[in-house]
Amino acid sequence: MAAKVFTQNPICSPSLIRDKTPQQKHNLGHFSLSKNTSKRLVVSSSIMSPPIPSSPLALPSSSSSQVFPPSRAPAATLPLSRIWREIQGSNNWENLIDPLSPILQQEITRYGNLLSASYKGFDLNPDSKRYLNCKYGKKNLLKESGIHDPDGYQLTKYIYATPDVNLNPIKNEPNRARWIGYVAVSSDESVKRLGRRDIVVTFRGTVTNHEWLANLKSSLTPARLDPHNPRPDVKVESGFLGLYTSGESESKFGLESCREQLLSEISRLMNKHKGEEMSITLAGHSMGSSLAHLLAYDIAELGMNQRSDEKAVPVTVFSFAGPRVGNLGFKKRCEELGVKVLRITNINDPITKLPGFLFNENFRSLGGVYELPWSCSCYTHVGVELTLDFFDVQNISCVHDLETYINLVNRPRCSRSAVNEDNFGGDFLNRTSEMMFGKGRRRALHLTNAATNAAYLLCSISNHMLYYNIF
């Protein structure tokens, strides 16, 4: 998928660069005025390299032009086995995102590649015996998907999810479970490099029409995943929760819910590797990111990652292009439980702005002081954000494509001095736009542009659905 990428500063050198003013960015054509504190990488290449089956890992390079302050140098030079807890977010990725740590970049790429197998293995051929299941057996999936070092993880279980919707209520046919991802555990050889036994769960994004309809059930509902403490203030999107907790109950030999499959397998693996250093890493794209959020919260709320007389097992989510999942109560509870979430987003991807396009974390208070009455009913993002900026007018759907995300994270970056020099033209035009348009006008243009991007993406998605005819 060769793609021409149009960015807001076409004269920049072809690399990923850091924003000089990440708090506020003005884009020509795309007015991006968000004042959040997320870290942003801007794709400044006019031509994007085509996606590859499995992006190579971005290894630290001694010839890199990036200069690290002395306080940050150890994180860039120490092996992963020594700093894996920091890479998993123990310090909320402090000093690892701006500039992006080569080791963190490598790990994001690695988990993104493992996640991509959940798409490459999904069988969408209605005439196939494996329709809506995985094309390959557990021993061959990573190899067949072109994953680098396929022997680094051993797949232990395939995961299936049943959408809580019925496209044909007249026939009242039971919903059919769909393969949505897998559970894997690092091999003995990989443990030496990783510094711990890593349990990985991957979740693909929305593909079938049943899943699209589940996504549209955007009302907030209490999660109530802990039977001993329901916590009605912790609310999540009802469609995601239904996909996570629904099973084939109508069938005598039906599958358990996605939740039951996962908790059972993770518990088994933790008991099997009791006494070892461990981590639980969840990687999801789009809708799969939401399931990863719910599983991470579920594990921590039930205390499954707690060990007597030992440190708790870290639970980390690597979210690619993920939407909002729950309300402020959900966010606060995840933080209290120590759930770590790194969200890799694209500012031009409308999915990352849903649900809660208007009423979200930015509309919870008045002037940053007075909490508004509806704040508890607003959707809120969880975790730390690593933001990319890419767009292609000839291929609108690329703004949400997993392979594009992986490729852009994996591109080299230029130094701060190069950013300052190359960004002169963009800064001049941005300042001109500030003088030409008032703040309200720029905000209106930003919203109009976001709505246009969303419309283009939805049209692309609709064509994709019609092409596959997955009803």
Side-chain angles (χ1 to χ4, degrees), residues 50 172 238 256 292 326 334 454:
N172 195 27
S238 60
E256 297 176 313
C334 285

Side-chain angles (χ1 to χ4, degrees), residues 29-31 357-358 440-456:
H30 300 287
F31 284 87
F357 180 73
L358 293 177
R441 176 61 174 162
R442 294 199 306 271
R443 175 65 177 172
L445 287 172
H446 170 56
L447 293 175
T448 301
N449 176 70
T452 302
N453 282 352
Y456 276 125

Side-chain angles (χ1 to χ4, degrees), residues 208-416:
T208 71
N209 288 344
H210 288 80
E211 293 162 0
W212 282 113
L213 291 178
N215 291 347
L216 295 177
K217 298 170 65 176
S218 59
S219 60
L220 283 166
T221 186
R224 302 184 188 277
L225 295 180
D226 183 358
H228 303 293
N229 191 347
R231 297 185 182 276
D233 58 313
V234 175
K235 298 181 179 181
V236 296
E237 201 238 44
S238 60
F240 300 147
L241 183 63
L243 191 63
Y244 181 62
T245 58
S246 297
E248 292 182 335
S249 56
E250 295 86 354
S251 174
K252 181 178 179 181
F253 301 103
L255 284 169
E256 297 176 313
S257 68
C258 175
R259 181 196 185 203
E260 292 169 321
Q261 297 169 55
L262 287 165
L263 296 183
S264 173
E265 181 64 10
I266 291 173
S267 177
R268 185 187 71 81
L269 290 174
M270 291 188 67
N271 288 330
K272 179 180 178 180
H273 300 287
K274 187 182 301 182
E276 299 183 33
E277 283 270 38
M278 294 184 67
S279 64
I280 299 175
T281 308
L282 317 175
H285 173 248
S286 191
M287 173 197 71
S289 167
S290 305
L291 296 177
H293 277 70
L294 290 175
L295 176 59
Y297 163 70
D298 203 3
I299 291 171
E301 188 69 89
L302 297 177
M304 290 179 58
N305 63 323
Q306 299 297 325
R307 289 178 164 182
S308 58
D309 303 327
E310 294 183 46
K311 286 184 178 179
V313 175
V315 179
T316 305
V317 176
F318 285 92
S319 163
F320 295 84
R324 295 182 180 91
V325 180
N327 67 344
L328 179 62
F330 177 72
K331 175 180 183 292
K332 288 182 176 179
R333 186 56 182 160
C334 285
E335 292 172 349
E336 291 171 2
L337 293 169
V339 172
K340 303 299 181 181
V341 179
L342 181 60
R343 294 185 296 108
I344 300 95
T345 66
N346 170 20
I347 62 170
N348 298 302
D349 185 349
I351 301 300
T352 64
K353 300 169 178 61
L354 300 172
F357 180 73
L358 293 177
F359 297 99
N360 51 55
E361 60 269 18
N362 300 316
F363 289 86
R364 292 189 293 103
S365 60
L366 185 61
V369 178
Y370 303 102
E371 195 80 6
L372 296 173
W374 56 77
S375 61
C376 62
S377 299
C378 290
Y379 278 96
T380 305
H381 273 306
V382 180
V384 177
E385 184 176 20
L386 171 63
T387 313
L388 307 174
D389 186 352
F390 58 89
F391 185 73
D392 177 12
V393 295
Q394 296 180 354
N395 181 15
I396 302 298
S397 63
C398 84
V399 300
H400 190 62
D401 178 64
L402 175 61
E403 292 290 351
T404 307
Y405 269 79
I406 298 172
N407 290 336
L408 269 295
V409 167
N410 201 37
R411 290 176 69 92
R413 294 153 291 140
C414 58
S415 64
R416 178 180 291 274

Side-chain angles (χ1 to χ4, degrees), residues 143-189:
K143 182 179 180 180
E144 293 290 343
S145 300
I147 300 302
H148 175 75
D149 187 20
D151 297 325
Y153 282 85
Q154 298 169 352
L155 274 64
T156 64
K157 190 176 183 65
Y158 279 166
I159 303 301
Y160 298 81
T162 308
D164 189 21
V165 295
N166 192 346
L167 286 176
N168 196 338
I170 298 177
K171 292 184 178 180
N172 195 27
E173 297 177 349
N175 290 330
R176 183 177 176 182
R178 291 142 172 81
W179 182 69
I180 201 167
Y182 62 85
V183 181
V185 63
S186 55
S187 63
D188 293 339
E189 187 65 28

Side-chain angles (χ1 to χ4, degrees), residues 21-24 33-40 92-93 97-98 331 343 361-362 383-387:
T21 54
Q23 296 276 335
Q24 183 175 357
L33 302 175
S34 62
K35 296 184 179 180
N36 55 39
T37 57
S38 63
K39 308 300 181 183
R40 176 170 299 168
N92 293 315
W93 294 280
I97 292 183
D98 187 14
K331 175 180 183 292
R343 294 185 296 108
E361 60 269 18
N362 300 316
V384 177
E385 184 176 20
L386 171 63
T387 313

